[in-house]
Amino acid sequence: MAVGNGDAGGGRLAAGHGGAGGGRVVVGVSGSLASLAALRAAAGAARESGRTLVAVLAWEPPEGEALYARNPDGAWAAACEREARARLDRAFDEVFGGTPPGVAVRRRVIRDRPDRALCAVTPAPADLLVLGSRPGGHRAPVRRRVLAQARCPVLTVPAPVFPRRERRALRRAEARDFVASA
């Protein structure tokens, strides 16, 4: 698998190149800082190429599918899906303040492992799959599995890096801390 420099958000493009030859721009969203950076880069790539942006948030029951299968509860699963949908909406609100301008957007919430969901949504070689990445992040196995299974180009976008002092301050920050005072 060839790896070269990507042009959106300082990311890395793997498995070929992501030209504007049709397809869609699909981005994996979890709500992490890396996935928010990927969402911004994916929206830019979709806008530049005239493609539709498909934002995917994959979820599973907190106890895992195997345990859920032994004691299924439809109301619990529906609540988990609603929370996943709300998390996807919050990601768009945090990055763009709503839906990004100048790009067609589809939001998908899929009950599955992230790697399987993302690879299932991007079956065409003309699609572009965008993932956030953190050095040593706990989601690295997902990224490795997607890179191994993807049938389209994959752009990995690094999470912003903050000095330790700023990271501590950001953990305690709330939305009102970022509102400009009049």
Side-chain angles (χ1 to χ4, degrees):
M1 177 179 306
V3 177
N5 286 330
D7 59 347
R12 306 277 297 166
L13 187 63
H17 24 248
R24 302 157 304 150
V25 177
V26 178
V27 59
V29 179
S30 66
S32 71
L33 205 52
S35 77
L36 298 179
L39 179 58
R40 179 176 298 283
R47 186 178 301 108
E48 288 174 13
S49 64
R51 296 192 255 184
T52 298
L53 172 66
V54 181
V56 176
L57 190 142
W59 70 278
E60 292 181 288
E63 67 275 6
E65 290 292 352
L67 189 56
Y68 180 85
R70 291 192 347 207
N71 191 17
D73 181 350
W76 178 250
C80 291
E81 184 172 1
R82 279 192 306 276
E83 172 51 34
R85 222 170 270 296
R87 194 166 12 130
L88 183 56
D89 290 340
R90 276 194 308 273
F92 274 89
D93 289 342
E94 290 175 13
V95 174
F96 306 108
T99 300
V103 63
V105 176
R106 289 187 55 218
R107 300 178 193 198
R108 304 258 329 253
V109 174
I110 300 173
R111 183 175 174 173
D112 203 349
R113 284 191 349 217
D115 57 312
R116 286 196 303 227
L118 291 168
C119 288
V121 171
T122 55
D127 290 336
L128 172 64
L129 178 55
V130 183
L131 301 174
S133 69
R134 292 186 303 175
H138 71 283
R139 304 295 276 186
V142 171
R143 187 175 63 241
R144 281 193 300 271
R145 287 192 297 261
V146 167
L147 289 171
Q149 299 169 19
R151 294 177 294 250
C152 66
V154 176
L155 176 69
T156 57
V157 179
V161 178
F162 297 101
R164 182 173 293 205
R165 182 183 309 159
E166 290 178 20
R167 283 195 309 254
R168 276 191 230 128
L170 284 171
R171 281 190 205 116
R172 294 185 301 270
E174 297 178 7
R176 67 175 179 241
D177 296 328
F178 296 96
V179 175
S181 57

